[in-house]
């Protein structure tokens, strides 16, 4: 009957199969039976103890408890109320049930009464059976609740409630009995906290280990298989598991997030189903089956819908499903009442402030519940999802205030500011922001019994909430920076302008920014977020809104290190993982507070967002560091972990490293709402909303437009300040009118036209450029006219001067004219004489030309003869070089040389100007003849004869010698061939 009732009357958070519910009930009963009365689990711990004998009362009570937390544990709050009434009615064994269970169900009375019914004061979910006392006790009576210590940081506060106690107990029972457990519930209900607290703090570290992984829309089967395989040891061939003697809990968060493939299956989920069905999976390398032992699953997921998919019943049937319902209002108030009490004790607030603790909690819880009802997510406002983390951030912001709050109005202003930062900063339009401001006004009057004017004073423009700002950078030189209210916007603008100058003086990339009130507001918001432990920001705005620039200033003021990747064409996931690992090492190993600035324009691969989703959710990226690098990281953080009191085990050291990364690394994500990409990313990666504080950069207000225009147009020279003010107003009017027209364009055409701050800056820049261009053109024309006029005036002056000079020179000109006429007569006479001279010169020129022609002919003839003679000369020189002293001696020794030799030697003597010997002519003794042979012998006897031939000045032979030698050229014996002929002795 209970199964049928759940199916007909209740709504499950996550659907289950009919058979799954009774199986879960029996598993729970067996797990309870195996536990001893002192809470030790025989089956899980295997310490050798035997199960205790159970009485009928204990069996009945444990069966009833199992029924509540199996069949009744999967429903929502309304279903639990119905199930409570139905179960009590069923236990009372009436004649007829008040609920129609449908056909086929007959309720048979057991024939005996229930030994120990559950008390009637509260619901069946509010009691647990205590075997030591054999009675039902409220959950809160099973623990000793202590207020949190004052020195405990906010993010480490643990407030015990009914939910934390009962879910922790049920988890403990199921995990130690080796059952797979699935927690299903909405965002912010504490699913992950319950599981992590149980795995990290409550289980015996010597017997239990854990592996955590978070699914997202981009998670694939290979990825999750590699994560798990990397952390398992090989027991023996084909058998893998955790370290011998231990058991491993594999925690999967967001189980139903992975995207479905073509045929509707989810590969990561199917991999886990294969493990549950067959005890392992196949090794992708060698295709051998890997048996996984001593491993059980603990999973968490949200309700299907909004990017979350239905998980196949073939996997769900292996789990004990436990629905985690939304916190009731009473529970929320109890939690945050304890938090407020902790803050009052730590801050030492006055009694008047402490007395408002209840009102503070009531106002915050009401704000949280009302905004969930009024501002629902839509396709254009997909980030309007408020959860318990947002409610917690309000109180975390209150805890940032150092010291006591001076007065009740100061407390109300601080609360209003934190509520605005957490909930209002994400709102996208003035209507939503106006609604929230009105709600804050009403909440102040309802809960704090103060009028809005008493808290904020009166103002003409009604922007009191916008001007409300708290920051810790107003005293930059103070050792302890106090988070306090900014009372003067002018002072804040001056401080930020000074810090901007400091940044530009020290940065390699200075920023030319205009700081105005709107920019200062966002700097204060970003600064507040990154100063919070685990503080991460999602800055949403169109291009040019200043998201990255303002983040750089806030990071500089906080004295944090800014880390940003540089995207290139060759940038891949390998470089991304290296950059991410470097940033995590800075935050975790070096304990360096770091801001990781990441823009959606840098997303080259969806795997980048997958890693960011993991860092936001768990503080780590699975398998990011190789094993050898993990060892070196653990060694480097060991001293700090020891000082923090952390056990020096590998798992505890690595957990400490991850916590350090989460505390010191602050992600600031800059995204644009243009298009559908932003909405899709929020749907696929829910941590972008759940783990970030959202700051929406809306269009610039009028004062921001005026400030920017005044800054950029202040340097331009204008005829008056009134003209400058008019131009500034016109720039603002143009921008605002285009914004109005774009909204009309959207309503009429259904198309977006985005008017961004960049458009406004381009408008001002275009105006400056156009104004400068037109001024240059006008100035050029003006200069041209002025120069032309000056030239005309100068020409007129010169003409007047010349006229005067001409008048003065008129007599001189007359006299000069007469002299000129006389000179012309002389010139004419001289011209006639010159003509005669010219004729004589022309005749001489004709004769000279004839002579020149003759000389040219002689020159040509000489050159032709020279062309013939030159080869002969060169040949003679070569022959001369072949003569030796022995040749000279041989010729000299001749008594009666041949006639040809005598002819040659005669020629040589003539050339050398050697005089012949006068002898009697043998044929006629009465006559004397010239005998050159005797002279030749003397010449041949000269040792320098041969050298004199070589050095002979052949270019300057006297004409007389040439005339004497010329007849020899035609002599028949003056021929080399004749001279070469041998002569008989």
């Amino acid at each position: 009957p209970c199964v049928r009732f759940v199916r007909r009357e209740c709504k499950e958070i996550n659907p289950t199969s009919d058979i799954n519910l009774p199986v879960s009930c029996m598993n729970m009963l067996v797990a309870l039976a195996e536990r001893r009365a002192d809470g030790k689990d025989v089956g899980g711990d295997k310490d050798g103890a035997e199960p205790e004998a159970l009485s009928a009362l204990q069996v009945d009570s444990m069966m009833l408890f199992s029924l509540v937390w199996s069949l009744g544990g999967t429903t929502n709050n309304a279903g639990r109320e119905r199930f409570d009434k139905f179960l009590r009615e069923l236990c009372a064994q009436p004649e007829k049930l008040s609920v129609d269970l449908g056909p086929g169900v007959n309720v048979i009375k057991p024939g005996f009464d229930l030994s120990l019914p559950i008390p009637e004061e509260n619901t069946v979910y509010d009691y647990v059976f205590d075997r030591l006392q054999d009675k039902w006790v409220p959950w809160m009576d099973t623990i000793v609740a202590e207020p949190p210590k004052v020195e405990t940081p906010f993010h480490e506060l643990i407030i015990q409630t009914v939910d934390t106690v009962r879910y922790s107990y049920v988890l403990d029972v199921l995990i130690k009995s080796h059952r797979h457990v699935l927690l299903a519930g909405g965002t912010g209900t504490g699913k992950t906290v319950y599981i992590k607290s149980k795995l990290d703090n409550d289980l015996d570290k010597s017997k239990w280990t854990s592996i955590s992984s978070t699914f997202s829309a981009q998670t694939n089967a290979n990825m999750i298989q590699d994560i798990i395989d990397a952390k398992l040891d090989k027991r023996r061939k084909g058998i893998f598991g955790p370290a011998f003697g231990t058991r491993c809990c594999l925690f999967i968060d967001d189980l139903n997030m992975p995207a479905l493939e073509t045929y509707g299956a989810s590969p990561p989920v199917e991999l886990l189903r294969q493990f549950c069905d067959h005890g392992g999976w196949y090794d992708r390398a060698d295709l051998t089956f890997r048996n996984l032992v001593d491993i059980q699953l603990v999973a968490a997921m949200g309700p299907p819908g909004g990017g979350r998919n239905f998980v196949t019943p073939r996997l769900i049937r292996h789990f004990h499903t436990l629905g985690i319902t939304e916190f009731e209002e009473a529970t929320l108030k109890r939690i945050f009442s304890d938090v407020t009490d902790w803050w009052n004790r730590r801050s030492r607030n006055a009694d008047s402030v402490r007395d408002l603790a209840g009102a503070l909690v009531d106002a915050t819880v009401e704000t949280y519940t009302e905004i969930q009802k009024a501002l629902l997510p839509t396709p254009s406002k997909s980030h309007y999802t408020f959860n318990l983390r947002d409610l917690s951030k309000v109180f975390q912001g209150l805890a940032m205030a150092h010291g006591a709050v001076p007065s009740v109005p100061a407390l109300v202003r601080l609360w209003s500011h934190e509520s605005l930062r957490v909930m209002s900063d994400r709102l996208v339009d003035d209507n939503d922001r106006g609604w929230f401001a009105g709600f804050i006004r009403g909440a102040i009057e309802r809960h704090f019994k103060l009028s809005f004017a008493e808290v904020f004073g009166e103002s003409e423009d009604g922007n009191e909430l916008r001007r409300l700002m708290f920051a810790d950078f107003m005293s930059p030189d103070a050792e302890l920076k106090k988070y306090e209210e900014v009372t003067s916007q002018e002072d804040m603008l001056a401080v930020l302008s000074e810090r901007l100058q400091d940044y530009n003086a020290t940065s390699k990339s200075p920023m030319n920014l205009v700081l105005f009130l709107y920019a200062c507001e966002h700097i204060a918001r970003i600064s507040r977020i990154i100063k919070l432990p685990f503080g991460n920001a999602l800055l949403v705005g169109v291009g040019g809104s200043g998201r990255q620039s303002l983040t750089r200033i806030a990071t500089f003021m906080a004295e944090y290190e800014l880390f940003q990747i540089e995207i290139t064409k060759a940038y891949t996931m390998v470089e991304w993982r290296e950059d991410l690992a470097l940033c995590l090492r800075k935050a975790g190993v070096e304990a360096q507070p770091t801001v990781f600035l990441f823009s959606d324009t840098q997303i080259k691969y969806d795997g980048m967002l997958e890693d960011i989703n993991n860092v936001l959710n768990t503080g780590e990226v699975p398998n990011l560091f190789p094993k050898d690098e993990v060892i070196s990281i653990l060694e480097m953080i060991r001293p700090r972990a020891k000082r923090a009191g952390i056990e020096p085990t590998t798992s505890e050291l690595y957990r400490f490293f991850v916590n350090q990364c989460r505390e010191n690394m602050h992600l600031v994500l800059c995204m644009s709402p243009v298009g559908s990409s932003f909405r899709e990313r929020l749907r696929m990666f829910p941590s972008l909303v759940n783990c970030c504080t959202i700051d929406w950069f809306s269009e610039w207000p009028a004062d921001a437009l005026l400030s920017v225009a005044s800054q950029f147009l202040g340097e331009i020279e204008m005829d008056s300040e009134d003209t400058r003010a008019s131009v500034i107003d016109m720039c603002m009017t143009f921008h605002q009118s285009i914004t109005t027209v774009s909204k009309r364009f959207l309503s009429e055409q259904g198309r977006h036209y985005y008017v961004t701050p960049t458009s406004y800056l381009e408008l001002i820049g275009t105006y400056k450029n156009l104004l400068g261009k037109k001024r240059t053109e006008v100035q050029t024309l003006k200069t041209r006219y002025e120069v032309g006029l000056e030239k005309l005036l100068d020409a007129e002056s010169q003409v007047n001067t010349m006229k005067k000079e001409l008048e003065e020179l008129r007599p001189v000109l007359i006299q000069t004219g007469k002299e000129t006429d006389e000179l012309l007569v002389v010139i004419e006479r001289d011209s006639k004489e010159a003509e005669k001279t010219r004729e004589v010169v022309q005749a001489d020129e004709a004769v000279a030309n004839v002579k020149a022609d003759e000389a040219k002919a002689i020159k040509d003839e000489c050159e032709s003869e020279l062309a013939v003679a030159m080869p002969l000369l060169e040949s003679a020189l070569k022959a001369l070089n072949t003569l030796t002293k022995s040749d000279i001696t041989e010729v000299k020794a001749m008594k009666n040389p041949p006639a040809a030799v005598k002819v040659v030697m005669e020629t040589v003597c003539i050339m050398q100007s050697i005089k012949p010997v006068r002898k009697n002519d043998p044929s006629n003794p009465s006559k004397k003849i010239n005998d050159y042979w005797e002279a030749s012998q003397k010449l041949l006897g000269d040792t320098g004869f041969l050298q004199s031939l070589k050095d002979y000045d052949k270019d300057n032979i006297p004409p007389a010698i040439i005339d004497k030698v010329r007849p020899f050229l035609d002599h028949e014996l003056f021929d080399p061939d004749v001279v070469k002929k041998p002569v008989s002795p």
Side-chain angles (χ1 to χ4, degrees), residues 647-686:
E647 295 182 10
T649 61
T650 301
S651 59
E652 289 298 315
L653 288 175
Y654 189 75
R655 187 176 295 114
F656 176 75
F657 167 70
V658 172
N659 288 334
Q660 289 292 297
C661 291
R662 297 190 69 187
E663 289 185 21
N664 294 316
M665 180 175 170
H666 304 276
L667 274 78
V668 178
L669 309 177
C670 302
M671 294 192 174
S672 171
V674 177
S676 61
S677 299
F678 176 67
R679 181 173 66 249
E680 291 297 322
R681 287 165 181 160
L682 296 189
R683 181 182 62 82
M684 296 169 64
F685 305 100

Side-chain angles (χ1 to χ4, degrees), residues 584-592 633-646 653 656-657 659-661 663-664:
L584 288 173
R585 278 195 296 268
K586 286 180 179 293
V589 177
E590 302 175 13
Q592 170 65 48
I633 288 174
L634 299 186
E635 288 301 321
M636 286 188 283
I637 67 170
R638 189 182 296 273
R640 281 196 294 122
K642 184 178 180 180
R643 291 193 296 270
I646 303 299
L653 288 175
F656 176 75
F657 167 70
N659 288 334
Q660 289 292 297
C661 291
E663 289 185 21
N664 294 316

Side-chain angles (χ1 to χ4, degrees), residues 6 46 110 205 238 299 310 313 333 388 411 454 466 488 500 503 586 601 664 727 751 868 904 917:
V6 169
K46 300 188 183 301
K205 298 296 189 299
F310 285 92
K333 290 182 178 180
L388 209 57
L411 172 66
E454 290 179 275
R466 182 190 168 190
S488 172
L500 175 60
Y503 174 86
K586 286 180 179 293
T601 58
N664 294 316
V727 172
R751 295 167 57 191
V868 174
V904 171
V917 178

Side-chain angles (χ1 to χ4, degrees), residues 356 359 362-364 366-367 369-370 415 435-436 438-452:
L356 290 176
D362 291 345
T364 310
E366 182 188 16
T367 303
T369 54
E370 287 302 318
W415 171 81
W435 175 88
F436 189 81
F439 183 84
I440 289 293
R441 289 171 178 264
I444 292 174
E445 296 176 356
R446 288 192 302 273
H447 296 283
F448 298 101
K449 310 304 180 185
L450 294 172
S451 67
F452 190 79

Side-chain angles (χ1 to χ4, degrees), residues 134-149:
D134 279 347
K135 68 175 185 179
W136 295 96
V137 296
W139 286 107
M140 296 303 296
D141 292 351
T142 61
I143 62 169
V144 179
E146 296 180 355
K149 297 180 180 179

Side-chain angles (χ1 to χ4, degrees), residues 840-859:
V840 174
V841 171
Q842 286 180 348
D844 293 341
E845 182 183 4
V847 174
N849 289 336
V850 171
K851 296 294 184 182
D853 293 339
E854 293 176 356
K856 185 176 183 302
I858 295 171
K859 176 186 175 185

